[in-house]
Amino acid sequence: MFLEARSLVKRYPGGDKPALGGVSLQVGKGEFLAVAGQSGSGKSTLLGILSALALPDSGSVLYRGADIVPAGEKARNRLRARDFAFIFQHHHLMPYLTVLENTLLPFMNQIRPISGQWKEKGLRVLERVGLGHKARSRPGELSGGEQQRVAIARALARDASVLFADEPTGSLDSQTGSGVMDLLKELNRGGLTVIMVTHNQDYAALADRLISMKDGVIL
Ligand SMILES: Nc1ncnc2c1ncn2[C@@H]1O[C@H](COP(=O)(O)OP(=O)(O)OP(=O)(O)O)[C@@H](O)[C@H]1O
Ligand SMILES: [Mg+2]
């Protein structure tokens, strides 16, 4: 199995019931999985643990057969830098950097100033999300959907194999949201595994599979 969660339990300090109460899940390579469920049901907690951003209290997460929970901070950081990419409801772009610099942000400590080869790569992924012409703009000069597409371009620049998206269309109007969904579908068809939290039923229906969470478990 490509990515698998086994009996994940997670409690936050002060919480009376666990945020995750024993979640098991399998995700195939190239699958597009949607995660639904009411606010507070544990969706973001699950995504955070699957993507090695956070640790469970117990349980395991197997990525390509290896448990990433006991793997250690260094290995988990490497995984996040190399294989996993993230987009969130709010895009986390750096306002003082250009669109191109934001796209290449994961590499910025290695490549400052941006060299020809990296610039080409950045421009290539920006073209793929339809933003080649905005490379020199700042995030503040873009629309919400364009900003979200920069976040997707940043994920693409890293050649990630899994994209974790936590309500990527949550702050967008429906037309802009559809554009972002089209892009995610297209990337998925190209082989990218996508795990997406969404409250939107129409978008959830575009996924290969939909799971619903309630009170920290999958229904
Ligand atoms: N850092 C934290 N500290 C304490 N409790 C937390 C923390 N993060 C989440 N929780 C609690 O854990 C539970 C699950 O939260 P989570 O963020 O995973 O829900 P969610 O399904 O993503 O909700 P939403 O749709 O509102 O984003 C909630 O009861 C929440 O209050
Ligand atoms: Mg959430």
Side-chain angles (χ1 to χ4, degrees), residues 43-45 166-167 197:
K43 305 180 297 294
S44 295
T45 301
D166 198 343
E167 291 192 60
V197 171

Side-chain angles (χ1 to χ4, degrees), residues 8-12 15-24 35-46 199 211-219:
L8 293 178
V9 174
K10 175 73 176 182
R11 279 179 189 279
Y12 290 108
D16 44 346
K17 49 186 179 20
L20 295 181
V23 169
S24 298
V35 183
Q38 58 190 212
S39 180
S41 58
K43 305 180 297 294
S44 295
T45 301
L46 176 61
H199 287 288
I211 60 169
S212 290
M213 294 193 67
K214 189 172 188 228
D215 297 334
V217 296
I218 295 173
L219 292 177

Side-chain angles (χ1 to χ4, degrees), residues 81-86 155-163 191-193:
R82 196 189 53 198
D83 289 44
F84 296 165
F86 311 85
L156 284 175
R158 299 190 8 226
D159 299 316
S161 53
V162 188
L163 177 66
L192 182 69
T193 303

